[in-house]
Amino acid sequence: MKELQDVLEYFTEKIKKEILKYFEKNEKQVEDLQEIRIRSNKPIILKIGQDTKVLKYIVEQEEVLEIFERICENSVYSYRKQICEGFITIRGGHRIGITGSAVMEENKIININYISNLNFRIAREKLDCSIPLLKYILDTENQKMYNTLIVSPPGCGKTTMLRDFIRKISNGIKEINFKGKTVGVVDERGEIAAMYKGVAQNDIGIRTDVIDNINKAKGMQMLVRSMSPEIITCDEIGGKEDIEAINYAICCGINGIFTAHGGNLEELALNPIISELFNKNIIERIIFLDKEVKGNIDKVYSLNKKNKEYVEIKKEF
C-alpha cells in the first residue's frame, strides 16, 4: 500500500478517489499494481499483474496538466532534461512516462509540449531475488566476480535482479564470506538506483557510487577515472560505444555485470554489437532469464577460454 500512497499524492482529488475506490473493493490486488495510465479524455487504466482494469472515470486534459505540474513541483524547466528523455523519477523511485508533442532541433528532442499521457510505473524492490545468481557469478575462492551478461526479453526481471545483486556485493555476503566491493553504477534512465534529488531511492548497498542521466559509455569512463570501482555495471547495453567502454573498463582490471535484450545464445551471436563482447572473450558468464516466470533463471553459459566457446552449465535446483 505504501507504493500506492507514494504516487497518489500527485493525482487530483477526483482521480485519487476513483483509484482508492477500486482498491477498497479489491484490496489484495494492490501488491500486484504495476502501472497507472492517465490519458487525456480517456479512462484511467490500471495494470495489475498481467491484467488491466479500466475504470469508468474519464480524465480531462486539465487534470493531466495539473498532475504534470505536481510531478515537476511547479517548475517544469527544472525537469526539462528528464522530460526530453520521456520520463521523470519521483520520490520512492517510481517513474512517470511522458508523451505529448515532441519539439525537435537538430534531430534531438529539446522539449515535449501538450502533455497528453502519463504512465506511473510503480517501483518495488525484491530483496534477495538475486540469490540464485550468486553461485554462477561469484568466484568466492578468489573473492572475485565473473564478467557477466544477464539476458532476457523486456519485462522478465533483469533490472530487478541486477539491482539486488549490486546491493549484495556492495554490502558483502556474510553467508558465503564474500567481502563487499566498490561498485560503480551508470544509471542512464534511473531504473537501478532511482536517484531523486541526489539520493538513491532504492537500496543499492553501502559501497556503491552512482552517476545518472548520462549515456552509458561516457558514464563508465567517468566512473573508472574518478571513483576507482572494483565492479562496474549498467542496464541494457546495446550501442557500439557501450562495448568500447566495457572493454576499456575490463582492460583496467575492473569486473563488470550488464544486462541486454535477447532470447537465446543464437540471437545474441547474430547481434553485431553484442557479438563483439564475445569475440573479445570479455563476458565469462551469460545468464538467460525465464520468459514465462519472472525472475527465474532459464539457462547459464560459461566461457571456455581455451576453445573460445560458451558451454551450458547444468542448473542446480
Side-chain angles (χ1 to χ4, degrees):
M1 192 65 175
K2 179 186 179 300
E3 290 85 2
L4 178 59
Q5 293 295 341
D6 284 345
V7 299
L8 283 179
E9 65 180 84
Y10 295 92
F11 296 134
T12 62
E13 287 302 317
K14 288 182 179 179
I15 293 176
K16 186 189 300 184
K17 184 178 179 181
E18 288 296 317
I19 295 172
L20 285 173
K21 186 194 300 183
Y22 176 83
F23 284 114
E24 283 170 2
K25 296 178 181 178
N26 304 275
E27 189 175 346
K28 291 183 180 179
Q29 294 183 12
V30 174
E31 295 303 317
D32 294 321
L33 177 64
Q34 295 182 13
E35 296 177 352
I36 302 174
R37 290 186 178 264
I38 305 293
R39 297 181 172 99
S40 299
N41 304 318
K42 300 286 177 61
I44 301 165
I45 297 180
L46 309 176
K47 183 178 180 183
I48 301 171
Q50 298 301 314
D51 297 325
T52 56
K53 305 295 180 183
V54 181
L55 307 188
K56 293 182 179 180
Y57 186 87
I58 303 298
V59 179
E60 297 180 0
Q61 171 69 11
E62 291 75 14
E63 291 180 293
V64 174
L65 296 178
E66 184 177 340
I67 293 169
F68 180 65
E69 287 285 346
R70 292 183 181 184
I71 293 167
C72 296
E73 300 176 326
N74 297 312
S75 180
V76 174
Y77 183 80
S78 300
Y79 285 83
R80 187 172 174 180
K81 187 178 188 305
Q82 288 192 57
I83 292 168
C84 292
E85 294 292 336
F87 66 88
I88 292 175
T89 302
I90 59 175
R91 185 173 57 252
H94 313 289
R95 291 180 60 188
I96 298 100
I98 303 164
T99 59
S101 180
V103 180
M104 305 292 292
E105 187 176 286
E106 295 181 356
N107 209 31
K108 291 183 179 181
I109 297 175
I110 61 170
N111 202 358
I112 298 179
N113 291 334
Y114 306 109
I115 304 300
S116 55
N117 305 320
L118 301 170
N119 179 22
F120 284 74
R121 297 178 61 185
I122 309 301
R124 286 192 178 87
E125 294 182 272
K126 293 188 178 180
L127 301 184
D128 294 331
C129 68
S130 66
I131 287 177
L133 296 174
L134 302 183
K135 57 178 165 284
Y136 301 115
I137 297 179
L138 298 182
D139 177 0
T140 53
E141 184 178 343
N142 295 302
Q143 290 289 308
K144 294 186 69 176
M145 187 198 83
Y146 296 111
N147 297 321
T148 301
L149 187 65
I150 302 174
V151 185
S152 80
C156 294
K158 294 187 302 295
T159 305
T160 303
M161 295 188 81
L162 176 63
R163 182 191 303 122
D164 187 63
F165 181 77
I166 292 167
R167 178 184 67 86
K168 294 188 78 66
I169 58 173
S170 175
N171 290 339
I173 309 168
K174 292 182 180 179
E175 294 83 355
I176 57 175
N177 195 31
F178 191 83
K179 297 177 181 178
K181 302 289 185 182
T182 300
V183 184
V185 176
V186 184
D187 201 6
E188 182 175 11
R189 295 179 302 168
E191 290 189 317
I192 300 174
M195 303 294 283
Y196 176 73
K197 295 185 177 180
V199 179
Q201 301 297 289
N202 293 323
D203 184 356
I204 51 171
I206 63 173
R207 298 177 179 86
T208 303
D209 301 306
V210 181
I211 184 167
D212 66 341
N213 289 325
I214 188 172
N215 71 68
K216 289 181 278 288
K218 183 64 175 176
M220 280 189 274
Q221 292 171 1
M222 289 179 66
L223 283 172
V224 170
R225 292 168 182 168
S226 62
M227 302 306 292
S228 301
E230 296 172 272
I231 293 169
I232 201 161
T233 180
C234 60
D235 202 17
E236 295 182 5
I237 61 171
K240 185 175 178 60
E241 290 183 348
D242 299 346
I243 307 306
E244 292 173 354
I246 290 170
N247 186 48
Y248 166 70
I250 301 301
C251 289
C252 290
I254 299 166
N255 290 125
I257 178 167
F258 314 97
T259 72
H261 286 146
N264 54 52
L265 196 61
E266 290 73 23
E267 287 182 9
L268 288 183
L270 291 173
N271 185 316
I273 304 298
I274 301 296
S275 62
E276 281 193 39
L277 286 177
F278 300 166
N279 295 336
K280 295 177 184 294
N281 296 328
I282 290 174
I283 298 299
E284 299 169 287
R285 295 284 189 274
I286 304 175
I287 297 177
F288 288 91
L289 299 186
D290 197 310
K291 300 174 185 177
E292 304 297 328
V293 184
K294 190 172 183 177
N296 276 15
I297 295 174
D298 181 22
K299 292 183 178 180
V300 181
Y301 292 89
S302 175
L303 174 65
N304 183 325
K305 292 187 177 180
K306 183 177 180 181
N307 299 325
K308 298 183 180 180
E309 294 179 350
Y310 287 97
V311 180
E312 185 175 353
I313 300 175
K314 187 175 180 181
K315 288 193 300 179
E316 300 175 18
F317 296 94

